[in-house]
Amino acid sequence: MAEAVNIRDWRIERAGEPVVRVGIVLDEDALATVELELPGAGYAISAHAGPAVVHAAAHLTARWDGDAITLRVGGEAERRSEHWGITPMQAPPLRQGTGVLVHQVVAGRGFHWQKRMDQTLSGRIELHAGRRGLIVVNQLPLEEYLAGVITAEMSGACPADFLKAQCVAARSWLLAFSEPKHAAEPFDRCNDDCCQRYQGTGDLTSAALDAVSSTRGLTLVDALGHVVDANYSKSCGGIVEAPEHVWGRPTPGLRALVDAPADAPERRFFPLTPDKLDEYLDGAWLAHTGMYCSPNVVPEEQLSQYLGRVDESGRYFRWTVRYHPEELGDLLRSKLPEARELAQLRDLRVTERGLSGRVGAIEIDFEDAKGRRRAAHVQSEYRIREALHAKFLYSSAFAARIKRDSGGQPVTVTLRGAGWGHGAGLCQIGALGMALQDIAYERILQHYFPDANLQQVYACRRRPDSGQRGSCG
């Protein structure tokens, strides 16, 4: 049997399942020590250019020593190497909790939902010495990886058709491999929101495993037969954004659209021009809208059961952030080099919007310490979201509402917004809403990727846990 190709070298014409190397603990996490637990099954542990030693049911302590890693297995003496590999002697069936347990993995890096959590990882584990700490890599087949993605991005308790739609989108995004992320690292993609969430086998459900098996190799392709870079975000807020308004470039297979049925009256908001913005954010129509990601379709009090472990319960469809001018001024000074001389905030104006109302550019008027009027111009939805929140603003689909005193000075700055995330591609809560309405995953994908087709780019195989052949859709 031919060795599986790495995801970086995979091409659609090669028609085989690739392997993916996932960064679990990153150099930027600056962890000097990582604790791991081997299950009862045998694992071969090998140092760089050294012989493998088989262990079972052992506690491992890996310690970063600058240019190498010191590893202690159980009560044995420490050994030092620049690289360690931990490989299962025989791949066990993929089930909940299968694999090596890694303690205190960072999740939600840099966002307001950042936390640490234990993760159980199937496949091979590697330990590398980084510049600032340990790097832990998980190498495994793509389909096995996807089971850990769809139960991390959202819960394995989601309806089957949502899980299948999410699986196809996640598979397509990875196979497209179009974004130059982590090129200099010993892994292909990280395990977090920077790429797509992957949290191993700890949250696997039978429905999630079936979603992966039944869609095996099924991928979104564009009109030219290329794999679609199938982006997705938590909530579009009602209108999906065009990728060129988020990343400055079009993506074949993706476009802006209204997250509602074809005959929905909410389509009057598209495109979302400034004169429609206030009604879109706060109009009476919100009480009865059928937009798929709205609380009328996915009630907010029920949403927590469908979210991933890293997600926070909250208002995803509409939200409000309010600042005093001094508070916002402190934030802008700390986040923006072009606003470091800000002494008094005068105004915050949106100067560019996308088709969903997402902000692409803002202008900040202020006075410096000498009373001189200055202006800072900020472009890109990512920089704007980074600048306008202590961690990261929920989305860039917002209106900036400034209350002023009798002298015209700002008293409060209120950001009234819609959605969570960049808003391009599949809306996860919207796709959940469609699945809760018993809409099949093929129609869900057609709704969010109307210019793409489904194609099985590699074949079925027997499931190791059942001996049965998956249907592959």
Side-chain angles (χ1 to χ4, degrees), residues 226-258:
H226 301 139
V227 176
V228 170
D229 187 0
N231 298 106
Y232 52 88
S233 66
K234 193 62 63 184
S235 173
C236 67
I239 301 178
V240 174
E241 186 53 88
E244 52 265 38
H245 289 295
V246 179
W247 300 290
R249 54 176 174 77
T251 300
L254 277 70
R255 57 181 162 96
L257 53 90
V258 178

Side-chain angles (χ1 to χ4, degrees), residues 355-374:
L355 299 174
S356 73
R358 280 173 167 76
V359 176
I362 60 173
E363 185 173 86
I364 302 161
D365 288 346
F366 62 91
E367 290 182 5
D368 63 18
K370 296 181 178 180
R372 295 174 298 192
R373 295 297 292 265
R374 308 286 292 273

Side-chain angles (χ1 to χ4, degrees), residues 214-281:
S214 62
T215 66
R216 178 179 168 80
L218 199 61
T219 305
L220 291 158
V221 297
D222 64 23
L224 298 177
H226 301 139
V227 176
V228 170
D229 187 0
N231 298 106
Y232 52 88
S233 66
K234 193 62 63 184
S235 173
C236 67
I239 301 178
V240 174
E241 186 53 88
E244 52 265 38
H245 289 295
V246 179
W247 300 290
R249 54 176 174 77
T251 300
L254 277 70
R255 57 181 162 96
L257 53 90
V258 178
D259 195 26
D263 58 351
E266 290 85 354
R267 290 181 176 270
R268 75 186 192 286
F269 289 112
F270 186 81
L272 187 56
T273 51
D275 60 297
K276 303 175 188 175
L277 185 61
D278 285 341
E279 185 187 1
Y280 175 72
L281 292 173

Side-chain angles (χ1 to χ4, degrees), residues 252-324:
L254 277 70
R255 57 181 162 96
L257 53 90
V258 178
D259 195 26
D263 58 351
E266 290 85 354
R267 290 181 176 270
R268 75 186 192 286
F269 289 112
F270 186 81
L272 187 56
T273 51
D275 60 297
K276 303 175 188 175
L277 185 61
D278 285 341
E279 185 187 1
Y280 175 72
L281 292 173
D282 292 305
W285 66 278
L286 290 167
H288 51 77
T289 180
M291 281 183 162
Y292 293 128
C293 59
S294 76
N296 298 329
V297 179
V298 185
E300 288 179 335
E301 64 271 17
Q302 299 176 19
L303 186 56
S304 60
Q305 67 182 297
Y306 300 119
L307 295 173
R309 274 200 292 160
V310 177
D311 291 316
E312 295 181 345
S313 296
R315 297 183 179 276
Y316 283 75
F317 192 61
R318 295 291 181 271
W319 50 263
T320 301
V321 175
R322 186 171 290 108
Y323 295 109
H324 292 294

Side-chain angles (χ1 to χ4, degrees), residues 59-74:
H59 178 89
L60 278 61
T61 300
R63 191 177 71 251
W64 177 67
D65 287 339
D67 59 349
I69 297 166
T70 300
L71 185 69
R72 181 188 293 276
V73 182

Side-chain angles (χ1 to χ4, degrees), residues 120-143:
T120 310
L121 309 172
S122 60
R124 173 180 165 84
I125 307 296
E126 294 178 1
L127 308 173
H128 298 262
R131 294 189 300 270
R132 289 177 286 177
L134 281 157
I135 298 173
V136 179
V137 178
N138 183 197
Q139 178 176 300
L140 70 171
L142 174 57
E143 297 295 308

